[in-house]
Amino acid sequence: MQTQTQPMQESVWAGGRSPFGIRWGKLMMWVFLLSDAFTFGGFLVIYGSVRVITPDWPDPSRVFALHLFGKEIPLLLIAFMTFVLISSSGTMALAVHAGYEGDRSRCARFLMLTILGGLTFLGCQAYEWTKLITEGVRPWGNPWGAPQFGAFFFTLTGFHGLHVLSGVIYLSAITRRVLKGVYARRGSYEGVEIAGLYWHFVDLVWVFIFTFFYLF
Amino acid sequence: MAVHAEHLAHAHSESWIRKYVFSTDHKVIATQYIFTAYFMALLGGLLAALIRYQLGWGDQASPLLERLFPFGAQGGVIKPEFYLAIITIHGTILVFHFQTMMLTGGFGNYLIPLQIGARDMAFPVLNMLSYWVFLASCVVMLLSFLVEGGAAAAGWTVYPPLSVHAAAVAGSGLGQTIWLLSMALLIVATLMGGLNYIVTTLNLRTKGMSLMRLPLSTWGVFFASVIGLVTFPVLLAGAILLLLDRHLGTSFYMPTVYIGGQLVETRGGNPLLWQHLFWYLGHPEVYILAIPALGFIGDIIATFSRKPIFGYRLIIISFVVMTILSCIVWGHHMFTSGLNPYIAMVFSLLTILISVPFGTIILCYAATLWKGKIQFTTPMLFAIGFLSLVVTGGLGGLFLGTASTDLYLHDTAFVVGHFHVIMASSVLFAIFAATYYWFPKIFGRFMSESLGKWHFWLTFIGVYATFVPMHVMGLGGMMRRIYSPHAYQYLQQWVPWERVISIFGLILIGAQLLFVVNFFWSLFKGRRATDPNPWRANTLEWQTSSPPPHLNWGEEQPVVYRGPYEFSRPDTAEDYLPQNTPPVGVEVSGNGVR
Amino acid sequence: MSAVHEATIVHGDVHQEPVINRPHPPTRVYLVVWGWLFVLSFGAYLVELISEATTLALPIKWSLLTVIGLMKAGLIVAYFMHMRFERLSLIYAILLPTLLVIALVAGLMPDAVSLISFWGHP
Ligand code: HEM
Ligand SMILES: [Cu+2]
């Protein structure tokens, strides 16, 4: 049989290697996060489209004010929650960094700090929900104005909170594996890096919820 | 790293359960998908028969119906609520549980690793989970017929307020909740599958399999997964809100309305919101079906025309353009909803624009057929039937995509006829073509050609005879989702039409029995496919045994040296050249790498 | 064959790139980014406080907040999620599809707004 053909292609898009220079696990996490971004994007856009046509939207900075030192401080709790979540993102980044350097115990320590941050955040959120519910906020109404306020509050923060909760569970599993030396034996802490992507994404979503739901 | 022979040999001395039920082998999972999806198709077809019976002879009582559905058809006549439940479940399971899952979960799952020369999906366990979640979705959906009030009855588009308020229609009770749960499961299953299809296609291609050497089937499933990935989540968000509206008393979608004379005090909801969210997935869904279908048809047409596909690159570019455009045209389903006229105009323009890539692909396929040495096998007949249906359906689409004409045609039988031609039938043809074509690979036996040809002709004629007259009825004012034309004075003129359509429709549904018989007969008694490459095709799946072994290849994964469609080259003795044929002068060493 | 064993076979000989010691920035970079995130969040909070005290026009407040939010998002994606250190192909593949959210906004907002002009506030 007589044939000719072009030589085997050598670009990164050719077979036999990853076009993105990353392995499948990490790529899959990125792709998953892209789709999850559309779930949250969907929620936020829906929220936006309702918000612009709803006249008597309660003022979030009043609703979420804390009474402290005899003064109403607007959004104090939310500001604290933001602080906690960003910090946990920071410790997560440092855990991934420790993983790159193959430092097992430092990696585990930062992971535990991250989990702690996540738990603190969840605690604050539980407090916030209780407070609002005792003040009379329900999915179908609230004392201050448009009933959609409560509906969106519970959906947005609830869905985000579920992500934080799954993140905490996910990170705990990863920490266990770090401590058991699974990644050290494998010579790759990619598992930590992938979990890190997820955690930062949860933080990223909070940035938008913080901006568009609480501050607007 | 080579896989040692002993490994492959003793690899699968595992228990029957591990091997066939909870298997992580993409071929087994794909087969499970194929069987489940065909089962759902069968049910959907039976529901279609009920619809056609009702529209044709709904004024006559039938003791048989009463025997079959003591609750749904008391007195032998289908009750209106039951009819609505039937069309809802018919539409839902055929679009989602049959066609979507068959193309991506079934054939996509089977073909991607084989066509790219991989040993399995990137994440086999996730692949298995995807199937089980899908199965749960099917079971849950079917159970809804048994609950109080019956299955969901708000149509497959589940528009509020019908779908929100339990008192709106019988099926809006538990049935609607179950519908939403089932859809949520299905969305999760598609996303889990899609992650694997995308990542596997990008990352696990074997040596030499550059993107521009991928077969069109793999490309098709890839783009469908991409579309699903960015649109299904939005529907998921919407569905969650709908569930909250139903059970937690929120009002995202419910304005203040009167239902059955009762004032329902829900404040400020916007039913149009749901329409946006539904069609944000609902329209791309058509392309989630059409693009893989086009991909499979491309492979089949090239093989049986013995010609390279015309304009391979052009087709891929068209896929990309379709992928993008399909996500931004959803508003054309809402022209009569009071949509802002400025965006209506944009949506209308974009919709018409999408016919450019679509038309390009069809022209490319026609050019591939041109002067080919066409072999009219059953899969090829179905492929040609597909092209015919797509062209017919596309013509109807021009009228619906134009806002001004759609105002007249919306919610008439014209729409039903149109989407049954362009989506239901054409994709059905692609699925049949794929089944006849890949059956020898999957099961190691051929399907019967003579039964297959009968099946094709009856289906082809049946589809045209059933769905083209619906266009005419629609132009004449026959509404869609009408329980019975007999009940309305102004629809009397359509009663004879409905009857004739029903006769053809029942013939069409009956003809599918031929397929069922053929399928199961061939499974056990069909001619054995001893040659792994009976159609003399080039793509990799044909270069391993039929059915392929666990982990697909022997000791070495194949190495690819050329594109997928090198047919009838003047300089070769055979008229085909498999992708893993090395060029002359290349020494193939023991490990298959030069 | 154990699952682990099978996994190594499935992922065969492709992609054997070293994972430890991939190019990564020094610790200092993370700390700086962390610091900036705090500063930006505090900035957003300040905007809120100022708009409480004075009567900052809503469009100005909203654009300020959006810009700050996007900057924070950019920092997180670029540094914490390492996007800056990935290949350009990955950056495009992940970031370009998110533009579709704009289409969703463009489809939903005019419709919502036209509802106001049509019915007044519902
Ligand atoms: C695989 C193929 C099919 C798919 C994907 C499909 C899909 C659909 C969908 C989405 C609907 C709309 C349901 C709704 O309004 O909520 C529908 C309705 C209907 N289908 Fe099918 N269908 C298929 C096959 C068939 C067949 C074979 C027949 C008849 C021979 C048929 C007859 C009908 C009829 C009569 C309606 C009701 C139309 C109306 O009154 O609005 N379908 N189908
Ligand atoms: Cu459409």
Side-chain angles (χ1 to χ4, degrees), chain B residues 385-402:
Chain B
F386 170 91
L387 292 186
S388 147
L389 285 167
V390 167
V391 172
T392 316
L395 290 178
L398 290 179
F399 297 96
L400 295 174
T402 312

Side-chain angles (χ1 to χ4, degrees), chain B residues 48 51-52 55 83 87-88 90-92 94-95 98-99 154-157 416 419-420 423-425 428 466-467 470 479-482 505-506 508-509:
Chain B
I51 303 177
R52 277 327 318 175
L55 290 177
Y83 178 78
I87 61 162
T88 304
H90 160 81
T92 310
L94 284 177
V95 172
F98 168 48
Q99 297 198 329
W156 79 295
T157 52
V416 181
F419 73 70
H420 276 85
M423 177 175 74
S425 306
L428 187 66
T466 311
F467 297 120
M470 287 190 192
M479 303 308 288
R480 163 189 189 191
R481 290 184 188 169
I482 286 280
L506 292 177
L508 167 63
I509 295 169

Side-chain angles (χ1 to χ4, degrees), chain B residues 27-39:
Chain B
K27 298 185 290 299
V28 179
I29 299 170
T31 318
Q32 291 170 327
Y33 260 116
I34 290 175
F35 275 102
T36 316
Y38 264 134
F39 178 73

Side-chain angles (χ1 to χ4, degrees), chain B residues 279 281-287 326 329-333 351 418:
Chain B
W279 288 113
L281 163 91
H283 184 81
E285 171 62 29
V286 177
Y287 288 82
S326 73
V329 298
W330 75 89
H332 61 218
H333 294 270
T351 303
H418 163 70

Side-chain angles (χ1 to χ4, degrees), chain A residues 23 29 92 96 111 170-171 174 177-178 183 186 188-197, chain C residues 19:
Chain A
R23 302 212 281 190
M29 183 50 92
M92 186 71 230
V96 175
L111 274 174
Y170 180 17
L171 286 185
I174 296 288
R177 305 189 84 185
V178 172
Y183 299 117
R186 207 183 275 171
S188 151
Y189 278 77
E190 205 184 19
V192 179
E193 194 185 342
I194 294 173
L197 285 180
Chain C
V19 179

Side-chain angles (χ1 to χ4, degrees), chain B residues 289-303:
Chain B
L289 300 177
I291 295 182
L294 284 167
F296 297 157
I297 296 298
D299 277 6
I300 292 169
I301 283 185
T303 304

Side-chain angles (χ1 to χ4, degrees), chain A residues 30-66:
Chain A
W30 268 115
V31 178
F32 165 71
L33 293 182
L34 178 62
S35 85
D36 215 25
F38 273 86
T39 320
F40 277 112
F43 276 130
L44 282 170
V45 175
I46 296 167
Y47 156 73
S49 78
V50 171
R51 175 81 189 263
V52 294
I53 57 170
T54 308
D56 49 347
W57 197 263
D59 180 0
S61 66
R62 291 276 132 59
V63 176
F64 299 104
L66 274 196

Side-chain angles (χ1 to χ4, degrees), chain B residues 85-411:
Chain B
I86 291 175
I87 61 162
T88 304
I89 304 297
H90 160 81
T92 310
I93 66 178
L94 284 177
V95 172
F96 293 109
H97 297 77
F98 168 48
Q99 297 198 329
T100 309
M101 289 320 215
M102 180 65 92
L103 291 173
T104 55
F107 288 103
N109 215 337
Y110 198 90
L111 292 177
I112 288 177
L114 281 166
Q115 290 196 332
I116 66 173
R119 292 202 179 276
D120 205 320
M121 285 289 173
F123 196 168
V125 175
L126 191 71
N127 201 15
M128 178 182 78
L129 276 180
S130 147
Y131 171 73
W132 289 103
V133 175
F134 163 60
L135 188 67
S137 163
C138 293
V139 172
V140 167
M141 185 62 88
L142 296 179
L143 282 182
S144 72
F145 271 111
L146 306 178
V147 302
E148 193 185 337
W156 79 295
T157 52
V158 292
Y159 280 0
L162 210 51
S163 58
V164 172
H165 203 267
V169 56
S172 286
L174 195 49
Q176 186 64 54
T177 302
I178 292 184
W179 188 97
L180 285 166
L181 289 179
S182 169
M183 277 311 283
L185 287 175
L186 186 109
I187 292 172
V188 172
T190 5
L191 289 179
M192 292 202 285
L195 285 180
N196 252 325
Y197 312 147
I198 292 174
V199 171
T200 307
T201 311
L202 288 176
N203 253 29
L204 260 60
R205 284 167 291 135
T206 186
K207 289 212 175 60
M209 183 57 94
S210 64
L211 287 187
M212 283 300 132
R213 286 172 174 174
L214 282 179
L216 289 174
S217 305
T218 297
W219 269 125
V221 179
F222 175 79
F223 284 118
S225 308
V226 171
I227 299 178
L229 197 81
V230 296
T231 54
F232 265 116
V234 176
L235 182 66
L236 184 64
I240 291 174
L241 297 189
L242 191 53
L243 270 176
L244 295 182
D245 262 13
R246 295 176 50 79
H247 293 289
L248 276 187
T250 59
S251 56
F252 295 109
Y253 304 122
M254 282 285 279
T256 311
V257 284
Y258 281 94
I259 291 181
Q262 294 266 318
L263 179 68
V264 179
E265 280 261 21
T266 35
R267 209 151 59 85
N270 176 6
L272 276 194
L273 187 58
W274 170 263
Q275 297 197 13
H276 276 294
L277 299 176
F278 180 83
W279 288 113
Y280 181 78
L281 163 91
H283 184 81
E285 171 62 29
V286 177
Y287 288 82
I288 292 178
L289 300 177
I291 295 182
L294 284 167
F296 297 157
I297 296 298
D299 277 6
I300 292 169
I301 283 185
T303 304
F304 292 118
S305 312
R306 315 307 297 165
K307 272 181 68 184
I309 206 89
F310 181 89
Y312 174 80
R313 266 166 203 272
L314 201 56
I315 294 175
I316 309 281
I317 294 171
S318 303
F319 277 171
V320 175
V321 176
M322 271 158 83
T323 301
I324 298 169
L325 282 183
S326 73
C327 295
I328 49 178
V329 298
W330 75 89
H332 61 218
H333 294 270
M334 302 170 58
F335 286 147
T336 57
S337 69
L339 187 75
N340 184 314
Y342 296 109
I343 35 176
M345 198 171 70
V346 176
F347 278 131
S348 185
L349 274 175
L350 288 171
T351 303
I352 303 299
L353 209 60
I354 213 170
S355 56
V356 174
F358 216 112
T360 308
I361 296 179
I362 300 305
L363 286 180
C364 285
Y365 286 177
T368 309
L369 291 173
W370 183 253
K371 290 191 175 166
K373 281 187 246 122
I374 299 184
Q375 302 166 344
F376 289 101
T377 56
T378 309
M380 185 60 164
L381 287 178
F382 273 103
I384 295 172
F386 170 91
L387 292 186
S388 147
L389 285 167
V390 167
V391 172
T392 316
L395 290 178
L398 290 179
F399 297 96
L400 295 174
T402 312
S404 46
T405 38
D406 181 67
L407 292 184
Y408 178 70
L409 294 170
H410 184 76
D411 264 349

